Amino acid sequence: MELKAQTFARSRQSGWTDELLADAFAGEAACDAAEDALTHSGAYPLEQMQQALGAYDRAALAVLRRHRELRVEPLPVVGPRATAADTLLSLYINANGRLHIRPASQPKIDCEGGAWIDLGQVVASAPVMAEIDGVHAAWRRSEAEYFAQVRAAMDRLRREGGLPRAVEQVIGQLDYVESLSFYVGDRHVTLVDDAGRPTLLYALREKPYERWSDDDVLIVAALHVLMRSGRAACFDEFNGALLTARDLISRIDHCSHSDAAHASGVHYAFESLDLFERVAKLRELKRL
């Protein structure tokens, strides 16, 4: 991802948030308000900025685009504008500059110290909420299937004794990276601290693999893929984005479907290879 996610501080410095008065988006189609917030009123490309959205927020935005009749309501939403059967969706920008579209009943994410910007609320009926839940559930099922491939490759790497070396290689490469942060689910992950140290990887180096979380496995796998592909200098592809197993594998699959791979007949052998083996084969073919 070439464009880094904007932090809350940078948003304020840009002057964009200074123009947000109370109920600035009131009456707008909810999807338009969300996209306006994502792009800072068109200052940044929508396609890139929405890569930072969480899975639920992506599902909510997709459904809001289907229902342009849903509008941002002035705060607070009371009286006849919402019934007991409705759910209020809050649109807000958290302290990291990330847009969320979540049920108002849920705690705000990464908003310690009151550092967030309320964009308004949307009255969502039960059928609309069911649509959002359905899209989100489908995304989670798909992500679980892709993650199984990531886990299988990491398990093989560990069985063959290559995991410690892989972690050390990534740590060594991060010595040349000034900053690197991204999202895994709702978690904001900073790999390089203010002192320039990859503290998360230092901790994983000392932690038994059996105790690694799924997030840990995905993070190391993604960084290892960049190392194996010869693109370690492009760590910022993930900067500011939501890191997912689906996106990671899709990048590799896209290369394996190239004309050159088809012409060489290699594409048909890829199904028998795990993630890291595919990367090695593509590197051999110079498709990465």
Side-chain angles (χ1 to χ4, degrees):
M1 183 179 182
E2 296 177 0
L3 185 66
K4 299 180 182 180
Q6 302 300 301
T7 63
F8 183 74
R10 287 180 64 188
S11 298
R12 303 188 83 170
Q13 290 170 2
S14 72
W16 179 76
T17 56
D18 296 338
E19 300 173 2
L20 288 182
L21 304 176
D23 299 329
F25 293 105
E28 282 195 31
C31 60
D32 290 344
E35 291 180 359
D36 197 46
L38 266 178
T39 63
H40 292 201
S41 296
Y44 302 101
L46 175 62
E47 182 178 354
Q48 288 182 322
M49 295 305 287
Q50 64 188 1
Q51 290 182 42
L53 286 176
Y56 189 90
D57 310 299
R58 294 181 183 196
L61 181 55
V63 173
L64 290 178
R65 284 168 173 157
R66 299 175 190 168
H67 294 275
R68 292 191 57 83
E69 74 278 6
L70 295 178
R71 304 281 165 169
V72 177
E73 299 286 346
L75 297 173
V77 180
V78 295
R81 288 183 288 163
T83 69
D86 293 328
T87 297
L88 292 179
L89 289 174
S90 286
L91 281 70
Y92 64 94
I93 299 172
N94 71 11
N96 294 317
R98 193 186 197 193
L99 173 70
H100 287 296
I101 309 172
R102 301 295 175 97
S105 59
Q106 296 180 0
K108 284 185 167 58
I109 301 164
D110 289 339
C111 291
E112 293 80 4
W116 74 82
I117 302 171
D118 266 320
L119 304 180
Q121 293 183 336
V122 179
V123 178
S125 65
V128 168
M129 292 303 298
E131 281 189 61
I132 295 174
D133 290 341
V135 173
H136 185 221
W139 187 94
R140 292 185 64 181
R141 288 193 297 270
S142 175
E143 177 65 9
E145 292 173 0
Y146 280 105
F147 180 74
Q149 297 182 51
V150 174
R151 171 69 79 173
M154 286 288 286
D155 287 350
R156 179 187 62 79
L157 186 66
R158 186 247 184 175
R159 285 195 308 272
E160 296 178 355
L163 184 58
R165 181 169 179 267
V167 173
E168 291 300 330
Q169 286 179 330
V170 172
I171 288 175
Q173 192 63 41
L174 285 175
D175 286 340
Y176 303 97
V177 177
E178 292 184 3
S179 65
L180 180 60
S181 65
F182 45 81
Y183 298 98
V184 181
D186 286 338
R187 175 186 171 197
H188 183 236
V189 178
T190 301
L191 277 189
V192 181
D193 64 18
D194 293 339
R197 298 171 302 181
T199 50
L200 173 63
L201 292 175
Y202 284 163
L204 290 180
R205 183 170 59 183
E206 305 302 324
K207 182 189 293 187
Y209 179 68
E210 295 79 5
R211 292 173 51 200
W212 285 22
S213 68
D214 288 350
D215 289 357
D216 296 334
V217 171
L218 178 59
I219 290 168
V220 173
L223 297 175
H224 183 56
V225 162
L226 286 179
M227 288 290 303
R228 292 291 299 272
S229 66
R231 299 169 66 196
C234 299
F235 277 148
D236 63 351
E237 287 184 20
F238 299 128
N239 224 6
L242 176 69
L243 177 61
T244 69
R246 178 177 184 170
D247 182 52
L248 177 62
I249 292 175
S250 293
R251 292 173 187 232
I252 303 306
D253 285 348
H254 174 74
C255 295
S256 71
H257 283 77
S258 68
D259 292 339
H262 272 293
S264 64
V266 171
H267 168 69
Y268 301 103
F270 267 51
E271 292 184 2
S272 63
L273 304 178
D274 70 22
L275 174 62
F276 300 148
E277 290 169 334
R278 274 178 268 169
V279 171
K281 177 61 70 175
L282 288 169
R283 181 75 189 280
E284 179 183 324
L285 294 171
K286 298 182 179 179
R287 299 304 304 166
L288 284 172

